[in-house]
Every structure is written in C-alpha cells, then in structure tokens.
Amino acid sequence: MTTVTVSGALPEDPYDVVIVGAGVVGCAIARRLAHHPELRVALVEARDDVGQGTSKANTAILHTGFDAVPGSLEARLVRTGSRELAAYAAESGIPVEPVGALLVAWDEEQLAALPRLAEKAARNEYHDTRVLGPADLYAREPHLGPGALGALHVPGESVICPWTTTLAYATQAVRAGVHLHLEAPVAHAGHHDGVHHLTTPRGTVRARRLVNAAGLHADTLDRQLGHDDFTVTPRRGQLIVHDTFARALVRHILLPVPTALGKGVLVAPTVHGNVLLGPTAEDLDDKGATESTAEGLHRLREQGRRILPALLEEEVTAVYAGLRAATEHDDYRITAHPGQGCVTVGGIRSTGLTASLAIAEHVTGLLAGTGLDLGPQRPPEPVRMPSLGETCPRPHQRPDLVAADPEYGVLVCHCERVSRGEIRDALASTIPPRGLDGLRRRTRARAGRCQGFHCGAALRELFEEARR
C-alpha cells in the first residue's frame, strides 16, 4: 500500500524521520532512507507536487564537478553523485545525453584562464579536460559566433531530465513505504521531549528526527530551531527554451569562462530536443519572484547572439524562471545537530541535482550519528520511468507496444508526440499529477511549440475524467 496525501489531517503518531521539502534532494534522501524498511519516514512538501520549487527550473546538467572549489563538500558530493546518478539513470530510464561541454574563451584574458581551469579540474580528480585552439573549436561547433579564441573541452558533462529524476526518487521511496504528504507547508517547528513538532495547516507532524531540505526556506526553518548558520538569498535565473528545430545548431553545452560574478549564461541542448539559453543571475529579496522580465530576456538574447547567432532566428517555445538557494557561503551548508536530532541541508545550488544521491548518503550517515538506529538494510524495488528523451523511441514508435495496447498509438499532443496511453499511465501513477503542469513534467504534453493550443482541451478532459 502506498501513502500519498494532499488533504485531511496528518497522522498523529510520531515518525522516525520527517524530511521537509520534496525537491530533488529531499526526494533522494527519502529514497535513501527507504533502504531501511523498519524506519517510519515521511516526506512533507508545501506544494501540490514533488520538485515544484527550485528543482523544476534546474538547468538540467549532470556535472562532473570539474569547476567546484577543490576540497569543498560540494566538490566531493558532486564528484561522487555524478557517477551514482549516471548509473541510476541508466537503471531507471532517466534520459541522459553525454554531449560534453566547451568553455569558450572570447578574449585573451579568458584564453589565459583555460589552463588554470584544467588544473582546477585535475585537483577535483577530473583529468579529461583539453584546451582546444580555434580551428578545433569551430570544427566541433560550426555555428559558434565569430571571434572565439579557444575553449576548454570537458567531455564528461551531460544533460539530463531533472523532472524524471525527482519523480523517480519519490516514486521509489513511496513504493517502499515512505509517506508523502503534499500541500503541507510547515509554518512552525519546535522540539521538546525528544520529538520534533511541525505545525502545518493540516495538523502537526511529529518525528524523532528531522531533515531540513526546505530549499529556499531552509534558513527560516533552521532559525525556528535556534540556528543562524546561513541566509538564503533567492537568485533568479531566467531561461529561454528554443524549439527543437534549433537542436542541430549546437552539439555541446556551451559555457562561458567563469568570472568572480558567476558562471554566466550557457547555451545547451536538452534531452527533450530543445535548446536552452540562460540563466540570468539576479539576487532578490522575494522568494516567490519566479516571473520572467523583458529586461532579463533582452539580456539573454544579447548574450546568446554572440554565442550562437543563428539561435536568435529560431522560434522560442517557452520562457521560465527559477530561484536558486544562494547563501553567503561558497559551499553547501549540510550540518548535523545531534542534540536536537536534526540535519540541515542548506545552500544547495544547481549542482544539487547531480549531487543528490551522494547528499542522501551523506545525510543518512549524519542521521545515524545522531543516534538514529537505521535497522536492517534492504534496497527498494527498482523503478522504470517513462522515457521522455529524444534519443529513445517513444511508445508510439514501438509497434510491439501499440499492438499490445492501441492507446499508445493515439497521439494527443502532436508537438511532443505524447499518446493517450502515456497520459493515462501518468494519471494513474504512484504519484499522480495534481494539475496540467504536473502532467507536462511527467509526459511532455503541452511542452511543444503550440504550448497546448491544440491539445489543451483534450488533456483537460482526460485529467478531469481521471479525477472523477
């Protein structure tokens, strides 16, 4: 029996562990704890779906960690997590494309920085980088704008589907017995008599151990527990998604040479066949400011024009913005508080997707260090996610599937070639979508060039029918 709730009173009996925040990191931790079947674990999320916060607007890169701060916790966890997530993706059907990255130098100063970046990569135990001259660079990326002087090639960088990753973790955790409580924002946290008390509009959740993986709100929850280790400053990243016709223009993830101001704007293919341009990096005060702005999109287009001029002639499918949980520190803020029986997982930036499995392992060790008896270990049943990637055949392209179930041959979303069978499966899945946006993240329906203009009504009807 699986437990996913979106309304009603929350269970009164204390859990062994409650994780606050069902982003990619919180879901990874829940999945990891599900390896210990005697633990009673809950995953509590403020919104109506998993991965609804920072995780849904990730730039979708599976990093090698070549450019992390050597010796940092982030460097170690990204390095380990990258290998683990690549293996997990292959096992679970999460789309990954090992396209490699090029850090392009546009002036002499940037060109001089490339050998230093290669040395930094080596200190992060990544030894496959190579400095390319302009001829080699343009042979690899013939549509690159004029004037590039060279590049650092990082062949191990990949693109991945962030939505499927988060959903795979959560699905595996729930099937293994973790309780997922959605629409349960934590308004207040207290700890007394060895038990955490988390107040939500649906009642109080109690647990002997707490994992704070609340993303943008991790500092607020931490302060309610009496800690003042970091402050989250929401950093908005706006992105432009170009149509699949643009995919032939770019073969690698095109990165700028990083500066003291950040990693800059990238151009990258996606596993869904689109091309991303972005993100911006705007430090804000509002943790809900996820709107796109005319100024931000204009800046992106100006930078994109230099990197890949032909991209600006291609159709834009969508624009979106996400908020990263930036802090005043250069490293993750993962801290155990044994006296309170809690672990804070704060300051997790965009590399958190890559590092998620390693973070989960690290946090499980910290929980054990607080005195939590994990009990026996038994890996949860593997999951196999629907493939949304362009490199794998979709169900309507598989005669065997269509013959066995004709619903896979009936396309509803023609832009993304999503069949009625896939939509039916998503609506009946372990963690069903609560709205059409959730359905889009599970199937890609409404994510194509018409953005649901043609299929929207049919999708709404199927969605409403499933809820009746």
Side-chain angles (χ1 to χ4, degrees):
M1 178 178 174
T2 59
T3 300
V4 178
T5 72
V6 293
S7 61
L10 296 169
E12 293 187 0
D13 293 343
Y15 287 97
D16 292 311
V17 184
V18 161
I19 304 149
V20 178
V24 70
V25 170
C27 290
I29 295 167
R31 172 192 170 272
R32 180 60 188 80
L33 292 176
H35 284 65
H36 300 279
E38 292 188 2
L39 287 180
R40 190 165 178 267
V41 179
L43 179 59
V44 175
E45 165 59 35
R47 305 196 189 195
D48 68 354
D49 200 357
V50 299
Q52 274 277 56
T54 299
S55 298
K56 75 175 181 182
N58 192 280
T59 47
I61 296 176
L62 181 54
H63 297 277
T64 58
F66 79 96
D67 58 346
V69 176
S72 64
L73 178 63
E74 180 181 21
R76 176 166 68 83
L77 296 180
V78 169
R79 186 166 58 243
T80 305
S82 179
R83 293 191 295 268
E84 293 178 347
L85 181 50
Y88 182 76
E91 171 190 306
S92 307
I94 298 168
V96 175
E97 284 190 52
V99 294
L102 294 167
L103 279 79
V104 181
W106 296 97
D107 58 35
E108 293 292 345
E109 184 178 351
Q110 293 176 7
L111 188 65
L114 298 183
R116 295 196 297 273
L117 287 167
E119 292 169 7
K120 185 178 185 180
R123 282 187 284 152
N124 281 319
E125 301 180 24
Y126 186 77
H127 302 281
D128 294 336
T129 62
R130 189 161 72 91
V131 175
L132 306 179
D136 200 353
L137 170 59
Y138 280 98
R140 293 170 185 265
E141 286 291 350
H143 297 285
L144 194 67
L149 303 180
L152 184 70
H153 185 212
V154 189
E157 298 275 299
S158 304
V159 292
I160 187 170
C161 179
W163 309 320
T164 309
T165 305
T166 305
L167 193 60
Y169 293 160
T171 298
Q172 202 170 12
V174 168
R175 288 179 182 173
V178 171
H179 292 188
L180 173 61
H181 299 300
L182 302 167
E183 304 245 41
V186 174
H188 182 264
H191 181 252
H192 48 85
D193 298 329
V195 177
H196 291 278
H197 299 256
L198 307 178
T199 306
T200 84
R202 297 176 53 196
T204 300
V205 184
R206 297 171 180 82
R208 298 178 182 86
R209 296 292 185 277
L210 168 66
V211 177
N212 172 8
L216 291 166
H217 303 282
D219 58 341
T220 303
L221 182 53
D222 226 27
R223 288 196 175 96
Q224 290 180 4
L225 296 168
H227 309 295
D228 190 14
D229 185 39
F230 62 94
T231 297
V232 173
T233 300
R235 181 169 296 165
R236 182 166 60 191
Q238 302 185 47
L239 293 109
I240 298 173
V241 184
H242 285 87
D243 190 78
T244 52
F245 287 131
R247 179 64 181 83
L249 295 175
V250 59
R251 301 170 182 173
H252 302 76
I253 304 163
L254 301 179
L255 301 166
V257 175
T259 68
L261 299 177
K263 294 184 177 181
V265 170
L266 60 81
V267 173
T270 76
V271 293
H272 310 120
N274 302 100
V275 178
L276 281 182
L277 170 62
T280 57
E282 310 156 54
D283 286 347
L284 307 173
D285 296 323
D286 185 354
K287 293 183 177 180
T290 55
E291 67 274 12
S292 299
T293 67
E295 181 187 359
L297 298 178
H298 175 73
R299 286 204 306 269
L300 285 181
R301 287 177 61 83
E302 288 303 304
Q303 294 181 66
R305 192 183 309 281
R306 182 181 194 187
I307 301 168
L308 206 67
L311 185 63
L312 276 293
E313 306 302 320
E314 297 292 338
E315 295 287 336
V316 171
T317 298
V319 298
Y320 67 92
L323 298 174
R324 288 159 274 175
T327 74
E328 67 273 38
H329 303 284
D330 289 334
D331 204 355
Y332 294 163
R333 308 303 294 174
I334 302 178
T335 308
H337 304 284
Q340 287 182 315
C342 69
V343 176
T344 301
V345 188
I348 309 299
R349 297 179 284 259
S350 60
T351 55
L353 168 62
T354 300
S356 52
L357 289 175
I359 292 173
E361 184 72 28
H362 183 60
V363 169
T364 301
L366 293 177
L367 283 171
T370 68
L372 176 69
D373 181 5
L374 296 171
Q377 179 165 320
R378 184 178 68 224
E381 290 294 318
V383 293
R384 190 69 187 173
M385 304 303 291
S387 177
L388 306 183
E390 283 297 296
T391 59
C392 298
R394 297 294 295 268
H396 79 279
Q397 296 171 308
R398 294 182 52 185
D400 57 328
L401 279 184
V402 175
D405 186 344
E407 291 283 279
Y408 291 120
V410 181
L411 292 186
V412 178
C413 171
H414 288 259
C415 295
E416 293 295 314
R417 294 156 294 149
V418 184
S419 67
R420 199 158 62 192
E422 291 166 274
I423 294 164
R424 175 205 60 202
D425 293 349
L427 292 171
S429 62
T430 303
I431 305 172
R434 302 291 302 164
L436 294 185
D437 283 344
L439 182 62
R440 174 175 53 81
R441 289 191 292 274
R442 285 160 174 80
T443 64
R444 301 242 347 118
R446 292 173 62 245
R449 61 180 60 95
C450 89
Q451 291 286 290
F453 181 83
H454 292 292
C455 63
L459 290 168
R460 168 65 66 181
E461 185 176 349
L462 291 169
F463 180 78
E464 296 297 341
E465 184 181 332
R467 289 168 64 91
R468 282 198 287 269

